[in-house]
Amino acid sequence: MKRITPVFVTLALAMMVWSCGGSSTLDNTAAAVFLTVDISEYNPDIDICLQQTDITISSMEITSQAKNPGASLGAAQDVNLTRWVIKPYRTDGGATASPEWTYDTSGYVPADGSASLDNYRVYPLVYLGQVPLANLLPDNGGFDPETGNSAIRQSFDLQIFGQTVSGKSVATEPVSIDFNFFCLGQ
């Protein structure tokens, strides 16, 4: 019994040290870089009755940074963007959110550099005619049955995935983009 206690204490201490080792989500990829997204300009108010095109972000910048600030990065750490994932969620108390959207795309971000994207589409027009946003159309009553409001507020979590030229996976942290959907132009 006396022998089991020191072994147990040693194991418990080892597990505690191991679990406190730090696990930033930016370190969850094997790439030497991480990507950040900065959305500097977009229209958060969407009149679904007047919207004629996909929802776009007017101005966005994707930046590549070294995980180790002192590291020297080369062309092998350049990132080819491959996929965007949009996960809508309600911010107005409603439970039903718009459908998730995955978009395979291409883009390029140099190591320790950035890429500027202008008028980049983040959500397809066709989804504006699906529940819950379809409830806002005059033919469907013009209000959200979950909240009783004539507008629906949602945030879109945008996450961008890619791969370095050397073949290592990399992804951004999800970035929330807030929208207010309504139908005034009938």
Side-chain angles (χ1 to χ4, degrees):
M1 179 77 162
K2 290 183 182 183
R3 185 171 233 186
I4 293 174
T5 302
V7 170
F8 177 74
V9 169
T10 303
L11 285 174
L13 284 172
M15 286 178 57
M16 190 170 75
V17 168
W18 176 73
S19 69
C20 294
S23 62
S24 166
T25 54
L26 295 175
D27 293 334
N28 287 343
T29 64
V33 296
F34 66 93
L35 300 175
T36 58
V37 177
D38 180 39
I39 298 172
S40 57
E41 184 181 343
Y42 78 104
N43 179 14
D45 295 315
I46 307 293
D47 185 335
I48 64 170
C49 290
L50 295 179
Q51 187 74 21
Q52 299 293 314
T53 61
D54 294 337
I55 296 174
T56 61
I57 298 296
S58 302
S59 182
M60 162 181 0
E61 186 167 88
I62 302 170
T63 303
S64 168
Q65 298 173 341
K67 284 183 183 175
N68 179 356
S72 175
L73 300 175
Q77 295 304 318
D78 292 352
V79 176
N80 291 308
L81 304 176
T82 57
R83 175 171 284 180
W84 295 53
V85 176
I86 298 285
K87 295 181 181 177
Y89 63 94
R90 295 286 291 266
T91 59
D92 61 1
T96 305
S98 293
E100 182 176 310
W101 184 58
T102 300
Y103 177 58
D104 291 328
T105 187
S106 62
Y108 175 79
V109 183
D112 219 14
S114 63
S116 293
L117 303 175
D118 295 326
N119 297 316
Y120 209 83
R121 78 183 198 148
V122 293
Y123 208 64
L125 177 65
V126 68
Y127 284 4
L128 300 184
Q130 295 185 13
V131 171
L133 300 178
N135 293 323
L136 301 178
L137 298 172
D139 294 346
N140 298 331
F143 70 96
D144 177 32
E146 293 180 9
T147 64
N149 295 327
S150 60
I152 292 177
R153 290 188 323 273
Q154 294 188 98
S155 285
F156 290 178
D157 271 352
L158 164 66
Q159 189 169 23
I160 304 170
F161 298 87
Q163 190 173 51
T164 63
V165 171
S166 65
K168 307 291 184 186
S169 294
V170 65
T172 66
E173 289 291 311
V175 175
S176 290
I177 311 166
D178 298 326
F179 288 100
N180 181 41
F181 296 97
F182 53 89
C183 175
L184 293 179
Q186 299 161 16

